[in-house]
């Protein structure tokens, strides 16, 4: 059943073609929102064609991200943006065409760029919520995240957890940068659930995952919890929530190091903002 709660409101869900993102797309379409999703795969959502737009954007190409999001922002404003697209790090060091480590760019840097374009868009002069999807593993990342450039130092799990720590830091980063009451941002740790996340992994991992998937939590259940958090007035900006809606602690970080890291990340996306 479709209701009219989200009538005339636009939302953007990155990675809306699979797993958690696709379930969020379905949920918000049923709520009556106009949903824009990014992804490279095709999806058809029968009955919702007039309110669903799929943007074919590859996050390993920041020029493509920038052009796609700027184009959509010329005609649309967004009340909600969900930074959901993500991969489990590939088994071996992989660089994007832009010259950055693949996981860091797809999971974090592309979202930093998207948020920056949308928040600064001329059409986005009203309240906006930004949600970033982190993971339980953000707690295992180094407290001094760096931008990995050394193939020899590459560890897939470290790369993934660093990207997820960066996404957990995003609410703090955006509120420090904008200090604007119209911008509400929180991070969501969904725990583990079954999805297509195994796609870039080795064959044995994919086989194991398919065996375990029926026993795992569903993406739809996780999407429902996140949708509730988004709609609740009690949800506090700047926090990290888990799927039980508890607030997760954020590791104490050295403020100057955090500021330096933020600055270095913005320097990486600067040329795609012009
Ligand atoms: N599954 C878990 O247990 C788990 C646990 C903790 C956190 N998470 C996080 O939850 C989020 C959703 O993941 P999921 O588990 O639902 O995985 P999924 O089913 O694989 O969905 C990932 C989405 O990201 C998009 N994506 C991947 N690479 C991309 C690229 N290069 N360019 C553009 N889009 C890309 C995919 O779109 P296309 O393939 O169409 O491009 C897809 O829509 C991710 O941020 C993940 O890290 C998942």
């Amino acid at each position: 059943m479709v209701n009219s709660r989200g009538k005339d409101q636009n939302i953007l869900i990155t990675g809306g073609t699979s797993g958690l993102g696709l379930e969020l797309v379905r949920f918000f379409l049923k709520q009556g929102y106009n949903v824009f999703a990014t992804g490279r795969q095709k999806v058809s959502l029968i009955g919702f064609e007039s309110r669903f737009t799929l943007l074919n954007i590859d996050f390993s190409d920041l020029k493509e991200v920038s052009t796609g999001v700027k184009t959509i922002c010329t005609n649309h404003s967004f009340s909600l943006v969900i930074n959901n697209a993500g991969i489990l790090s590939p088994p071996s060091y992989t660089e994007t065409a832009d010259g950055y480590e693949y996981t860091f760019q797809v999971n974090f840097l592309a979202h930093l760029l998207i948020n920056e374009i949308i928040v600064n868009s001329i059409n986005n002069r009203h309240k906006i919520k930004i949600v970033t999807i982190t993971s339980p593993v953000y707690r295992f990342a180094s407290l001094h995240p760096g931008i990995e450039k050394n193939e020899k130092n590459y560890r897939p799990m470290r790369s993934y957890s660093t990207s997820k720590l960066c996404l957990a830091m995003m609410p703090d980063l955006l509120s420090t940068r904008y200090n604007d009451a119209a911008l509400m941002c929180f991070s969501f740790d969904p725990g583990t659930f079954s999805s297509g996340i195994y796609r870039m992994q080795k064959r044995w991992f994919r086989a194991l995952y398919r065996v375990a998937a029926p026993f795992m939590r569903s993406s739809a259940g996780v999407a429902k919890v996140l949708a509730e958090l988004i709609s609740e007035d009690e949800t506090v900006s700047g926090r990290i929530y888990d799927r039980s809606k508890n607030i997760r602690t954020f590791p104490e970080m050295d403020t100057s190091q955090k500021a330096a890291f933020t600055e270095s990340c913005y320097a990486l996306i600067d040329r795609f903002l012009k």
Side-chain angles (χ1 to χ4, degrees):
M1 201 177 78
V2 176
N3 70 40
S4 58
R5 223 175 137 189
K7 197 170 178 299
D8 301 328
Q9 288 197 57
N10 299 325
I11 71 174
L12 175 68
I13 300 170
T14 68
T17 54
S18 171
L20 177 58
L22 181 56
E23 293 304 334
L24 289 165
V25 166
R26 289 195 175 112
F27 179 90
F28 285 105
L29 283 172
K30 284 184 194 151
Q31 295 281 309
Y33 288 81
N34 300 316
V35 179
F36 294 75
T38 67
R40 297 158 301 170
Q41 302 170 70
K42 286 198 168 65
V43 282
S44 80
L45 291 149
I46 293 157
F48 294 111
E49 291 82 354
S50 63
R51 286 190 290 107
F52 179 63
T53 307
L54 182 61
L55 309 167
N56 188 326
I57 299 176
D58 186 340
F59 283 18
S60 69
D61 180 343
L62 292 178
K63 183 79 195 145
E64 196 173 303
V65 174
S66 167
T67 307
V69 177
K70 280 180 187 163
T71 305
I72 209 78
C73 282
T74 54
N75 296 318
H76 301 90
S77 62
F78 294 95
S79 56
L80 172 66
V81 179
I82 306 181
N83 293 181
N84 165 76
I87 51 149
L88 266 185
S89 302
S92 51
Y93 182 83
T94 310
E95 250 180 36
T96 64
D98 301 311
Y100 306 132
E101 192 274 313
Y102 197 89
T103 319
F104 181 72
Q105 175 164 329
V106 170
N107 290 7
F108 173 66
L109 216 47
H111 287 117
L112 190 70
L113 178 60
I114 291 170
N115 296 339
E116 194 65 11
I117 294 170
I118 292 179
V119 172
N120 287 298
S121 151
I122 196 90
N123 287 317
N124 248 92
R125 292 285 174 261
H126 56 74
K127 281 192 172 181
I128 179 167
K129 258 183 206 174
I130 297 179
V131 182
T132 67
I133 307 299
T134 181
S135 153
V137 300
Y138 81 83
R139 286 167 292 170
F140 307 127
S142 157
L143 287 189
H144 307 301
I147 299 156
E148 189 60 74
K149 267 300 269 181
N150 186 339
E151 201 170 335
K152 284 204 191 100
N153 288 343
Y154 179 72
R155 302 283 177 278
M157 204 48 192
R158 188 166 62 198
S159 158
Y160 180 68
S161 56
T162 298
S163 74
K164 290 293 160 181
L165 175 64
C166 294
L167 284 158
M169 285 163 67
M170 187 89 85
D172 180 56
L173 187 156
L174 291 179
S175 57
T176 307
R177 188 170 174 84
Y178 289 102
N179 190 21
D180 182 352
L183 171 65
M184 195 274 183
C185 183
F186 72 91
S187 191
F188 180 61
D189 167 2
T192 48
F193 56 91
S194 72
S195 70
I197 194 100
Y198 57 85
R199 267 173 292 166
M200 287 183 81
Q201 300 306 303
K202 287 190 169 151
R203 218 157 85 188
W204 66 264
F205 186 101
R206 298 201 303 268
L208 209 65
Y209 194 95
R210 277 192 213 104
V211 173
F215 305 100
M216 292 166 80
R217 199 168 281 105
S218 75
S219 314
V222 178
K224 186 171 170 285
V225 175
L226 176 55
E228 284 166 8
L229 275 169
I230 289 168
S231 65
E232 284 167 9
D233 292 336
E234 294 76 28
T235 307
V236 182
S237 193
R239 298 301 175 100
I240 305 167
Y241 288 86
D242 65 18
R243 60 162 186 267
S244 304
K245 299 186 186 170
N246 292 321
I247 291 177
R248 287 236 163 261
T249 51
F250 189 78
E252 279 297 317
M253 294 179 88
D254 183 295
T255 318
S256 59
Q257 220 151 357
K258 197 166 66 174
F261 175 69
T262 304
E263 201 179 308
S264 60
C265 291
Y266 277 106
L268 297 180
I269 60 166
D270 193 52
R271 67 190 155 116
F272 302 100
L273 288 166
K274 292 173 182 128

